Amino acid sequence: DIDFIFSADWNYYIEQANKGAFYELKPEDIAKYMPKKSAAIDPVAWEEAKVDGKIYMMPKTTPDSSVFVSVLRKDIMKEAGLTKVDRLSDIGPYLEAVKKNHPDMVGLNLDSQVDLPTPYQHLMRDKIGYTGGSLGGGPLAQGVAFDFDDPTGKIYSMVEEPYLSAQKYAANIMKDWYDKGYVNKNPYSNKIRSKDNFVEGKSAVAFGNTIDIAATVEAAEAKGIETYIIPSLMPNGKAPKGGYLGAGISIAANSKNPERVMQAFDLIMDDPSYVYLTYFGIEGKNYIVTADDKIGLPEGVTSDNNTYPPDASGFWFVNKGLFKPMNTWPESYVEHYEKLKDHMTDFTYNGFNFNSDKVKTQIANLANASTQYANPIYIGAVKDVDKAFDELIKNLNSAGLDTVKAEVQTQADAFLASKKK
């Protein structure tokens, strides 16, 4: 019995829309009840939000420029003799220094939901253009994907080449790290994100993205922890540019107040006073606008004691194009942020939404097989990498991997054909 819920492409928007969970947003209602949004948003965003030609999400008004990142501590880098780190695969000496010198800290202290596959996925990006998760299957699932760096748009199962070699490369590194005690032994029961444990001195690496890591590095620097940010880039040194579906709001199919929800979020998403209130808190208490027209903190308020820190509230879908720069960003973050524009690149399937309705049973089976056979590979908790993949492949095939791939291929072909028109 709810009216609205956060939705995003990485958070099963397509799957939930296909299940009938969301209320259809008709263009005439959007125009009537969301005038601010309609004026500010690129019409392409509504096209991206369509599932079988119908809109079920109010997407964010401006796509985020963001890449996945890992954050290290400069003091431990110094202990490890490292001054520059380009990729996560280079941090072996860093993790060794953590194990040797910091008994109360875990090198990779992963949580059960977001972090569990993350270092593995960062390592895969050394070899292939891959963002994480499979088409229709969510971030933890094996299944079907494409190479973001491949202009031909070839569709692969994740256990065929070149994906399989990229996976085994990542798996062998994670196994080495796990066997050496660099990874927490049981991420499945841990609910605390690495970025939160990083600030508390319990994890030596924080995982996140350009947007959500800002508060982490601010809080760490407030505690005297100097940070070093590693962007996770594809082999070509680029990252796929963001779409509009990374954060949005969907209305529940049984909402009794859909028009009121649209009116409310027209303000929350695109009226500057609402945007600043929901994202930054109360002016004078949680933030100030400085003399040089930047967002800062009131006297006596720090990143650590702010009762409403930015980006922590869940209002990730507001129009960030309305934001002023932050004067609280540490040097490491400013440097990272200024390089973003050089990383962003378009990709063949930008705007492609896979409709898994015809293969939802197989998708569910693939997710179950992944939980049992892929999750241990992600964290390195396997005795033999090749045998672990043999077992995974056997179970993915039994779950209907070929059927899913054929359906993805059909929809991908139709998408590419429509782009040529």
Side-chain angles (χ1 to χ4, degrees):
D1 187 23
I2 64 166
D3 281 306
F4 61 86
I5 191 166
F6 176 86
S7 61
D9 51 4
W10 54 268
N11 197 36
Y12 309 104
Y13 163 62
I14 308 296
E15 292 80 358
Q16 292 298 328
N18 285 327
K19 290 177 182 177
F22 300 145
Y23 178 87
E24 182 191 350
L25 304 177
K26 294 183 172 65
E28 58 268 26
D29 289 339
I30 292 170
K32 180 178 180 180
Y33 298 114
M34 305 191 76
K36 292 180 183 291
K37 184 110 182 141
S38 299
I41 198 168
D42 188 322
V44 169
W46 299 117
E47 291 299 315
E48 282 192 23
K50 285 182 178 178
V51 179
D52 278 349
K54 296 179 179 179
I55 300 167
Y56 298 97
M57 181 206 287
M58 306 168 213
K60 55 189 175 183
T61 306
T62 50
D64 292 334
S65 289
S66 175
V67 301
F68 295 109
V69 298
S70 315
V71 182
L72 309 183
R73 296 173 54 129
K74 282 190 175 179
D75 56 345
I76 300 177
M77 286 178 63
K78 188 175 181 180
E79 292 170 16
L82 297 172
T83 55
K84 187 172 184 288
V85 181
D86 293 321
R87 293 188 173 271
L88 191 69
S89 48
D90 298 333
I91 69 166
Y94 178 89
L95 296 174
E96 184 181 355
V98 174
K99 182 76 173 175
K100 179 181 176 183
N101 303 326
H102 303 272
D104 296 329
M105 191 184 296
V106 180
L108 303 176
N109 200 347
L110 311 177
D111 83 329
S112 59
Q113 294 295 316
V114 181
D115 296 326
L116 193 149
T118 298
Y120 181 90
Q121 291 168 352
H122 283 226
L123 294 168
M124 278 185 67
R125 280 190 280 276
D126 282 3
K127 301 295 182 182
I128 197 165
Y130 171 67
T131 61
S134 61
L135 291 166
L140 291 165
Q142 295 278 311
V144 178
F146 57 88
D147 183 346
F148 280 77
D149 193 25
D150 176 11
T152 69
K154 185 174 180 181
I155 297 296
Y156 302 94
S157 93
M158 288 175 60
V159 288
E160 65 182 334
E161 295 299 347
Y163 259 90
L164 184 59
S165 289
Q167 289 217 74
K168 287 189 175 182
Y169 163 81
N172 277 297
I173 294 174
M174 288 304 299
K175 174 174 166 51
D176 178 54
W177 289 351
Y178 187 88
D179 289 347
K180 289 176 176 175
Y182 300 163
V183 184
N184 52 325
K185 291 298 180 186
N186 190 13
Y188 311 118
S189 63
N190 180 30
K191 305 298 182 189
I192 303 173
R193 289 283 301 275
S194 61
K195 62 193 187 83
D196 298 321
N197 270 324
F198 180 85
V199 175
E200 298 303 319
K202 296 177 182 177
S203 181
V205 184
F207 293 105
N209 60 56
T210 298
I211 306 300
D212 73 1
I213 212 68
T216 302
V217 296
E218 283 181 40
E221 301 258 350
K223 291 189 172 185
I225 302 169
E226 282 192 84
T227 55
Y228 184 97
I229 299 174
I230 312 169
S232 183
L233 305 174
M234 302 187 298
N236 64 358
K238 300 290 185 178
K241 69 179 183 181
Y244 290 90
L245 305 190
I249 287 293
S250 292
I251 301 177
N254 62 347
S255 169
K256 299 177 180 64
N257 310 285
E259 296 86 1
R260 301 295 287 174
V261 175
M262 282 187 263
Q263 288 175 309
F265 278 94
D266 194 44
L267 296 171
I268 291 170
M269 288 177 143
D270 284 282
D271 182 283
S273 62
Y274 283 77
V275 167
Y276 272 72
L277 176 67
T278 54
Y279 197 85
F280 295 105
I282 298 171
E283 187 170 5
K285 179 180 179 182
N286 303 111
Y287 80 95
I288 58 170
V289 178
T290 62
D292 57 352
D293 206 33
K294 293 181 178 179
I295 297 291
L297 293 174
E299 190 173 346
V301 177
T302 66
S303 299
D304 207 31
N305 67 18
N306 191 352
T307 57
Y308 196 89
D311 201 63
S313 61
F315 285 86
W316 305 312
F317 43 77
V318 298
N319 185 352
K320 296 190 178 78
L322 299 172
F323 289 1
K324 301 176 190 295
M326 304 284 291
N327 80 339
T328 54
W329 286 345
E331 185 181 337
S332 62
Y333 188 82
V334 172
E335 185 179 329
H336 166 71
Y337 196 82
E338 288 176 348
K339 289 179 180 176
L340 267 183
K341 61 182 183 297
D342 298 326
H343 299 322
M344 298 291 102
T345 186
D346 203 357
F347 59 98
T348 304
Y349 286 108
N350 195 355
F352 173 57
N353 293 322
F354 173 58
N355 183 345
S356 61
D357 206 30
K358 291 182 180 178
V359 288
K360 57 187 176 185
T361 300
Q362 290 87 349
I363 290 282
N365 292 339
L366 290 173
N368 290 334
S370 299
T371 298
Q372 185 169 355
Y373 299 102
N375 281 6
I377 295 174
Y378 297 154
I379 64 172
V382 294
K383 291 182 178 178
D384 185 298
V385 168
D386 289 330
K387 287 182 179 177
F389 272 100
D390 289 343
E391 193 70 16
L392 172 64
I393 292 167
K394 182 178 74 175
N395 282 276
L396 291 175
N397 287 334
S398 299
L401 181 57
D402 287 343
T403 304
V404 175
K405 184 183 176 187
E407 180 60 24
V408 171
Q409 188 69 64
T410 298
Q411 294 184 33
D413 289 344
F415 175 81
L416 294 179
S418 70
K419 285 180 72 173
K420 292 176 181 176
K421 290 179 181 178

